[in-house]
Structure formats: C-alpha cells, structure tokens
Amino acid sequence: MSSAEDRQCFSRKSGAPDPSQLCEDMKTETSDGETAEASEVCVKKEETLELNIYNHGDDLNNPPEGLSIKEEEPDSKDYLYCEVCKTFFFNKCELHGFPLFIPDTPVPMGVPDRARKTLPPGLEIRKSGIPGAGLGVFNKGETVPVGAHFGPYQGRLIDGEESMSSGYSWVICRTRKCEENIDGKRDMHANWMRYVNCTCNDEEQNLVAFQYRGGILYRCCRPINPGQELLVWYEEEYTKELNLSFDFLWNKNCSMNGEKSYHCSQCGKSFTQQSTFQNHQCIHRGEKPYHCSQCGKSFTIQSQLQIHQRIHTGEKPYHCSQCGKSFAIQSQLQNHQRIHTGERPYHCSQCGKSFTIQSHLQIHQRVHTGERPYHCAQCGKSFTQQYHLQIHQRVHTGEKPYHCSQCGKSFTVLSNLQTHQHIHTGQKPYHCSQCGKSFTQQSHLQTHQRIHTEEKPYHCSQCGKSFNQQSNLQKHQRIHTEEKPYRCSQCGKSFNQQSNLQRHQHVHTGEKPYHCSQCGKSFTQQRHLQTHQRIHTGEKPYRCSQCGKSFTQQSHLQQHQRIHTEEKQSRCSQCGKTFTHSVIFQTHKCSNLETLHDLKLSN
C-alpha cells in the first residue's frame, strides 16, 4: 500500500481486537529453541458456535482474555463497514450499534497445533468442500450473523521474498512506503484463520477480508448457517494502495483452490471469477448494466435495482410493530422507530437541535454555514442536498415519475403521491389536540397549530408584517416587488400566485370542483368548501381571547376584535361617523346628505 494512513489498518477501538498490540514483535521460545516473531493479521483458509460473540459495545474495561485495548487518536480512515445499511462507520453504526466480534480461544504462541486450538466455539476444521483445497473451516453451531467479525489473522512477520513461497501470507501496510507480510504457514504461530479457504464464486462467499489499523479481519457478509463452510474474498478497497506483489500472493493462495485469476489492466486488481471481473470492468467504462424496465433507470449493482423496483411495485416488506407503518428499506424502518423511542442522538453544537440520523445533522448544519453545494446547471439555483437538486431538475425536464393508480395524476416526488392518495382513502392521521381537526400531513398540522398559538415566525423585512408560513411570506413579498409571474392565457390577467391563477380560470370555465357531501353545494375553491362545511359541523375554530366568542372564519374574528380595540376602518366624509364593517358603512344613510337634499328642494 502506498498509504498507511489511508484507511487500512486494523486495531481495536472501544472493544475491537487490537492487532497492533497482538502483532507487536512477540518473541517466544519454540520447542526446538528457535525464536519466532508473532504477529496478527488475516488470510487463507479451520471447530463450534454457541456463538461466543464479543460485542463491540460491551464492558471495555474487561475485554475477553487474550484481547488488549489500545487507546489511540482516531484516524480519518479508521472505519468499519456495516453490511446491513451499506455504509462505513467509526466505532459504532448509527443504525445498528456496535459491531460484533467473535474472539479466538486464547492459546499461547509456540504451542504445537496452536492454529486449531484457537478456533472460536461453534467452528470446526474438516475436509473442505472445494476439490483439492485440503482442510477448511465449517460452522457447526448457531448461524453466524451478518456483520460479525473474526480476527485478527495471526502469524509471523516475514520478508517479501519468503512470502512468495507461502500460501498463507497477507500484505500489511505499515507506512506510506513500507509493507509487511504476515504469514500463517507455521501453525504454532498462526490461528485458525489460516484454514479458511478462498471462495470459488460470488454466490458462495460469506466472509470479506479487509485491512484495518495494522491487521486483517474477516467480516461476515452473508449468514453462515450450520454445516456451511467459511469462504473468504478480499474487500476491493484493501488492494488500492498495495503493490503488485499482492496479486502474486493472492493468486498463490487461490491456486490451492484451483482458482483462475482475471487481472484488470487499468487498476491492477485481480479476480477469481470472470463474472466479477466483467462487472468490475463496467465501473471503469461507466456502465450500468442493470436497467429498470419501467422507468429506464440504470444501476451498477443488481441489488440496487431490486430495491429501486419497489418504487414501482409498492412493495414495503419492513413493518413497524408499533404503528404498522411499512418501508421499502430496512434502514428506513430503523430510522422510523426512533419516532416511537424518542431517540435523537445527533445534536447541533450551534443551536442544540437534535436529529435521529447523523446525515440529517450534517445537512442541517448547512443552515448555519450557508453551504449549498449542489447547483443546477440550467438555472444556477443551489441546494443543500443532492436529492433536492434532483427533484428541482424535474422542473426543467417535466418528469413526473410517480403516478396515482386511482386518478392518474402524476407527481415529481414520491411523498407528494403518498400524501395525494389520502384524498382517495380519506385518511387524516394527524390530529390537533386543541380543536380536533385532522390533517393528511404532519407539516399541515404544525402550521395549523399556529392558529391557536398565534405564532407568526416569518417576518417581512420591508413592512414588518408577519406570517405563520414561509410560503405565505414569499407570496406577500410580491406585493412589494409587484411581481406577477402567473398569467391567464385567455384574458391576459396576471397573478402573483399560481393558486390565484387557477382559481381565476374557473371564471372562464365555470367550474366548481369542490362539492359539499351533505347539501351538494359547489364551490370554486376548496377553502370556501371547508368554510361552508362548518355550517354543518358547527365548528368555530377562531376564538376571541378577550371575550371568548368563537367564529367560523378568521376574517370574522379579526372584524370582531375591532370592537375591543375600537378600531374603525370606514369613515363617512360628510358626517364623520366611523364603522368597523365595510358592509355596514355601504348601507349607511348620512343625515347630512338628507338635510342638504331637502334644502335644495326648498329652493
């Protein structure tokens, strides 16, 4: 490897085995008086699993016998990989907690047949199922779960030349220009991991070998059921910084399994399976061979395509046991469950706001930094999230990939389709605790509750007027700019809001699409229907804080409050009388005008 700092050294952090200590040049006297250097790391190919699992989050002050803890400053590349949510993490996965480590049975160095004796409970060594491979390691206990870690691999530190003749060596990066070889050929200085065979194909692989802080670990990437053989393949990131000697060593290791290697001329990586090699070449060519038959979107990995297709099928196999809500991806369910537990482990140091997911905190922090790293190439608009940019670009392309199966209406965002479908189901899951009103979206409930709290957090910098929604402030600001971007194609009249244009167009069409289910009366606007329905329900959500009188409309409450403030908007220019309601003013008959009229008649 050309970079020791670049990600690949195995050590133990907060509970993981610390190969850098186990691999310290431990000198032990062998039976023939020879001094051997023992070291820990991980490669090649041996007995029971009730599983003696060591949790990365267990008591860090009392690790299992034979394991040591070395406290170090975290390196930027000291990350492990979560097989479930497919992300790297430091110390603890934010969704699945601490990783599992299955430790070796402690055996002193130099003991004859040491490698076999270090087997964790639940594993056994017997003849491999791979022709010509000799011995292999099998699971005879409980199923080994995905994400479990074995290791580190143990053996003697040897020079590069000696490693070329061994079938049990791994290359370890120590510094940018220094590599070491850990060899498990001599079983009295190795552990059981020397007996784990290389996989013959992708379908059989259940372990991934990778370098981490000075050692090699094996990570379980597929459940290993009782009776199955443990078969390993290396993580591609492991070879990025290694020199060409690794290819020779790996091919030699695999040759014991009768493997055939395929070499990439562009990056030097080699593969035992032609299909894996061909998939790898697609990455260099920028190919995405897996295509969605419904929308045409392409993917480099078949599993990504399968997850994507759930958008079209509506499949949501992961269900919340508390509320019954379903999700297409397991990680989404795990994030959702924090709603019930109230857990928000990620805190903003600037404003104290907390989040259930670390990525949400990182996005939130852009509010403070002003960072908007995602730019639209067509209009230059910037966004804090790539997802928001992708949605925005549909404004230019006109793409609306989410279709309602009941009415055919299309949407640019899946969440908008899901919200729309509440119209057909009549579902309104969000309820106001003060007035009982229900809403299809939680954000609508939050906005509604400002009616009761009278909170108006959005202020106009030009006139000081306040609003309970940011969108209302943005619309209001067009009064100052006199911007009217929405124009009627039939009469040319312009509007500052699209909704106003849509309502105006009902004048030309005569359409009244909103019908009262109780009396059949129709309305051009939905809000007019909602106000009308209060006649039937008797609902009066707008209450005067001074006298307690309630009203069906906010405008009626505002007019009523003028009684208490003695505010009178309309004034007669002849007699000076003032009125709180413009309707009353319009019906006012001025006595001064009548006197003037009588004088004119008498003359």
Side-chain angles (χ1 to χ4, degrees):
M1 271 187 198
S2 62
S3 171
E5 296 79 25
D6 275 1
R7 160 142 211 211
Q8 276 115 336
C9 285
F10 270 123
S11 171
R12 162 162 194 200
K13 233 182 316 292
S14 304
D18 184 353
S20 62
Q21 285 196 3
L22 295 174
C23 291
E24 292 270 333
D25 296 334
M26 296 191 306
K27 299 190 185 228
T28 23
E29 284 291 319
T30 63
S31 57
D32 56 4
E34 178 184 354
T35 298
E37 289 185 342
S39 175
E40 309 253 15
V41 188
C42 147
V43 59
K44 184 117 182 67
K45 323 193 184 200
E46 255 187 339
E47 267 169 294
T48 43
L49 224 132
E50 280 156 353
L51 286 170
N52 182 13
I53 293 175
Y54 175 52
N55 191 311
H56 195 64
D58 288 343
D59 186 358
L60 306 183
N61 296 316
N62 297 288
E65 182 182 357
L67 299 180
S68 60
I69 299 176
K70 181 179 178 182
E71 296 296 332
E72 294 183 17
E73 286 297 316
D75 183 85
S76 61
K77 298 296 183 181
D78 290 338
Y79 290 89
L80 295 173
Y81 183 77
C82 180
E83 289 285 352
V84 180
C85 57
K86 307 300 181 188
T87 57
F88 290 96
F89 64 89
F90 177 78
N91 187 41
K92 177 184 177 182
C93 174
E94 64 183 22
L95 298 180
H96 306 105
F98 293 101
L100 299 178
F101 285 86
I102 302 176
D104 294 1
T105 299
V107 179
M109 282 288 179
V111 175
D113 203 23
R114 179 184 188 273
R116 284 177 176 266
K117 294 176 180 177
T118 61
L119 270 169
L123 302 182
E124 66 176 352
I125 296 172
R126 54 184 169 87
K127 186 177 179 180
S128 173
I130 301 173
L135 297 175
V137 182
F138 290 78
N139 178 21
K140 71 171 186 179
E142 300 173 358
T143 299
V144 180
V146 169
H149 292 74
F150 294 103
Y153 186 88
Q154 299 175 14
R156 294 187 307 125
L157 290 174
I158 61 176
D159 60 31
E161 185 175 348
E162 186 179 354
S163 68
M164 297 299 178
S165 62
S166 174
Y168 299 87
S169 292
W170 286 94
V171 181
I172 303 299
C173 173
R174 296 298 185 194
T175 65
R176 181 171 292 277
K177 295 184 179 180
C178 174
E179 294 177 355
E180 291 180 345
N181 296 276
I182 187 77
D183 181 60
K185 188 173 183 178
R186 301 178 63 178
D187 66 357
M188 67 175 58
H189 299 122
N191 65 348
W192 64 275
M193 295 169 73
R194 73 187 292 278
Y195 292 103
V196 177
N197 285 298
C198 306
T199 180
C200 290
N201 55 63
D202 295 341
E203 289 71 30
E204 293 181 356
Q205 178 192 3
N206 48 38
L207 294 176
V208 178
F210 63 111
Q211 185 175 338
Y212 175 73
R213 298 191 61 184
I216 299 293
L217 296 187
Y218 290 171
R219 181 180 68 244
C220 183
C221 59
R222 285 191 177 96
I224 307 175
N225 297 317
Q228 283 188 318
E229 185 174 1
L230 279 64
L231 297 171
V232 69
W233 185 257
Y234 63 82
E235 184 176 68
E236 288 193 8
E237 286 287 321
Y238 164 65
T239 63
K240 279 188 176 180
E241 304 294 337
L242 295 178
N243 63 33
L244 295 178
S245 66
F246 171 78
D247 287 348
F248 180 90
L249 292 176
W250 180 256
N251 293 334
K252 186 171 184 66
N253 294 339
C254 290
S255 68
M256 299 181 72
N257 297 358
E259 293 286 320
K260 181 178 179 181
S261 294
Y262 299 89
H263 302 281
C264 177
S265 59
Q266 296 190 57
C267 67
K269 290 181 182 177
S270 54
F271 304 84
T272 57
Q273 293 298 307
Q274 187 177 19
S275 60
T276 307
F277 173 55
Q278 289 171 341
N279 288 339
H280 169 76
Q281 288 181 316
C282 290
I283 296 172
H284 289 300
R285 295 195 296 265
E287 293 181 12
K288 294 184 176 181
Y290 301 100
H291 307 286
C292 176
S293 59
Q294 296 196 49
C295 68
K297 194 170 183 179
S298 300
F299 302 85
T300 54
I301 303 173
Q302 190 173 21
S303 60
Q304 291 177 343
L305 170 61
Q306 292 169 341
I307 292 172
H308 160 79
Q309 287 174 326
R310 291 173 185 161
I311 294 172
H312 305 297
T313 63
E315 181 189 5
K316 294 182 178 182
Y318 304 101
H319 310 287
C320 176
S321 59
Q322 295 196 51
C323 68
K325 194 170 183 180
S326 300
F327 300 87
I329 304 173
Q330 188 177 28
S331 60
Q332 291 176 343
L333 168 61
Q334 290 164 338
N335 291 340
H336 159 80
Q337 287 171 328
R338 289 181 178 156
I339 294 173
H340 302 298
T341 63
E343 182 187 6
R344 289 177 170 261
Y346 305 100
H347 308 283
C348 176
S349 59
Q350 295 195 50
C351 66
K353 194 171 183 180
S354 300
F355 300 87
T356 56
I357 303 173
Q358 188 175 26
S359 59
H360 290 176
L361 168 60
Q362 293 168 340
I363 292 168
H364 160 78
Q365 287 172 328
R366 291 173 184 158
V367 172
H368 303 296
T369 63
E371 180 188 7
R372 300 173 78 91
Y374 304 101
H375 308 282
C376 176
Q378 294 194 52
C379 68
K381 194 171 183 179
S382 299
F383 300 88
T384 57
Q385 300 181 51
Q386 188 176 23
Y387 173 66
H388 291 167
L389 170 60
Q390 292 169 342
I391 293 173
H392 161 78
Q393 287 172 328
R394 291 173 184 162
V395 173
H396 303 297
T397 63
E399 180 189 7
K400 292 185 176 183
Y402 305 102
H403 310 285
C404 176
S405 59
Q406 295 195 50
C407 67
K409 193 171 182 179
S410 300
F411 300 86
T412 57
V413 186
L414 179 62
S415 59
N416 290 349
L417 168 60
Q418 293 168 338
T419 301
H420 160 79
Q421 288 172 329
H422 291 156
I423 295 173
H424 303 297
T425 63
Q427 183 183 7
K428 293 184 176 182
Y430 304 101
H431 309 284
C432 176
S433 59
Q434 295 193 51
C435 67
K437 192 171 183 180
S438 300
F439 299 87
T440 56
Q441 297 182 52
Q442 189 174 24
S443 60
H444 291 174
L445 169 60
Q446 292 169 342
T447 301
H448 160 80
Q449 287 172 328
R450 292 176 185 153
I451 293 172
H452 303 297
T453 62
E454 298 183 359
E455 179 189 6
K456 293 185 177 182
Y458 305 101
H459 309 285
C460 176
S461 59
Q462 294 193 51
C463 67
K465 193 171 182 180
S466 300
F467 300 87
N468 58 12
Q469 297 183 56
Q470 189 175 24
S471 59
N472 290 345
L473 169 60
Q474 292 169 341
K475 292 170 186 175
H476 159 79
Q477 288 172 327
R478 290 176 184 155
I479 295 172
H480 302 296
T481 62
E482 297 184 356
E483 179 188 5
K484 293 185 177 182
Y486 305 102
R487 188 173 182 273
C488 176
S489 59
Q490 294 193 50
C491 67
K493 192 172 182 179
S494 297
F495 300 87
N496 58 12
Q497 298 180 42
Q498 189 175 25
S499 58
N500 290 346
L501 169 60
Q502 292 169 341
R503 286 195 292 268
H504 161 79
Q505 288 173 328
H506 292 157
V507 174
H508 302 297
T509 63
E511 182 184 5
K512 292 185 177 182
Y514 304 101
H515 309 284
C516 176
S517 59
Q518 295 196 47
C519 68
K521 194 171 182 178
S522 299
F523 300 87
T524 57
Q525 299 179 42
Q526 189 176 25
R527 64 186 179 89
H528 292 169
L529 169 60
Q530 292 170 340
T531 301
H532 161 78
Q533 287 173 327
R534 292 173 187 153
I535 296 172
H536 303 296
T537 63
E539 180 189 7
K540 293 184 177 183
Y542 304 100
R543 188 173 182 274
C544 177
S545 59
Q546 296 192 49
C547 68
K549 193 172 182 180
S550 299
F551 301 87
T552 57
Q553 298 183 48
Q554 190 174 24
S555 60
H556 293 173
L557 170 61
Q558 291 170 340
Q559 289 174 350
H560 161 78
Q561 287 173 328
R562 292 174 191 152
I563 295 172
H564 302 296
T565 61
E566 296 184 354
E567 178 186 354
K568 298 185 177 181
Q569 291 187 329
S570 305
R571 182 184 181 86
C572 177
S573 60
Q574 299 296 323
C575 67
K577 192 173 183 179
T578 57
F579 302 86
T580 56
H581 300 286
S582 58
V583 175
I584 298 175
F585 172 60
Q586 290 168 1
T587 59
H588 162 65
K589 293 182 179 180
C590 180
S591 58
N592 287 351
L593 288 176
E594 291 177 355
T595 303
L596 180 62
H597 179 67
D598 292 340
L599 288 172
K600 285 182 178 179
L601 289 176
S602 63
N603 292 331

